[in-house]
Amino acid sequence: GGCNLSSTVAVASKSSLILVLGREVDSGGSGDIEAIATVELRLQPPDAKIPFSEPWFDKIERGIAKVLNMDVAPKDSHLQPYLSNLCVDQNVRGRQIGKAMCRLVECIARDAWSYEKVYLHVDLENVAALNLYVKEGYEDVGCRWNPFWAGQAAEIGYFVKNL
């Protein structure tokens, strides 16, 4: 038999990789390291839903939407790679670190996990992030997760890149 959304969401809630780029802190050879960039790669249904930091909460929100008969089921119930929480320390921006982190996540999704696409959300008013993703080949999917309780969620772009 096929794969149902409930089991798909359960798998997604346990499928996440967080990458941290660090550098040694110059403090007399103490070996301390500070994070200068992070990015998360997770598996998620491609339904345009903005994921919560706690995957179990996503399951609750999807359940609420289903009870309210909202058409939020993904067109494709197979999990897909999802890039999130890309952050570069403001003191090292402009050094192509964001681009490198994107490409690293894409490489993992394509070469290690054998996927053909990566999805992400971006605040359309965050010009620097939007420009990065567009330059890297991400395209607006055109759909939005917009239940009445999600507030301004419709203003967050949902993008995909074919790898």
Side-chain angles (χ1 to χ4, degrees), residues 72-122:
V72 294
K75 306 291 186 252
D76 176 1
S77 65
H78 296 93
L79 297 176
Q80 293 293 318
Y82 178 80
L83 182 159
S84 64
N85 301 319
L86 175 61
C87 180
V88 178
D89 185 290
Q90 65 186 12
N91 296 318
V92 296
R93 290 184 185 159
R95 298 181 188 177
Q96 308 297 311
I97 294 172
K99 179 193 291 189
M101 297 294 274
C102 279
R103 291 182 179 182
L104 178 59
V105 162
E106 293 163 5
C107 182
I108 292 168
R110 181 188 60 241
D111 299 339
W113 294 1
S114 300
Y115 284 92
E116 297 176 357
K117 296 179 180 186
V118 173
Y119 291 82
L120 62 82
H121 282 95
V122 61

Side-chain angles (χ1 to χ4, degrees), residues 54-66:
E54 298 295 332
W56 59 267
F57 198 74
D58 284 323
K59 186 175 181 179
I60 292 171
E61 188 177 36
R62 282 188 173 90
I64 291 169
K66 185 176 179 181

Side-chain angles (χ1 to χ4, degrees), residues 20-26 31-37 89 91-92:
V20 179
L21 179 63
R23 69 175 173 195
E24 188 173 6
V25 177
D26 187 22
D32 291 341
I33 297 175
E34 67 179 349
I36 59 170
D89 185 290
N91 296 318
V92 296

Side-chain angles (χ1 to χ4, degrees), residues 119-130:
Y119 291 82
L120 62 82
H121 282 95
V122 61
D123 182 343
L124 299 176
E125 294 181 7
N126 184 339
V127 176
L130 181 59

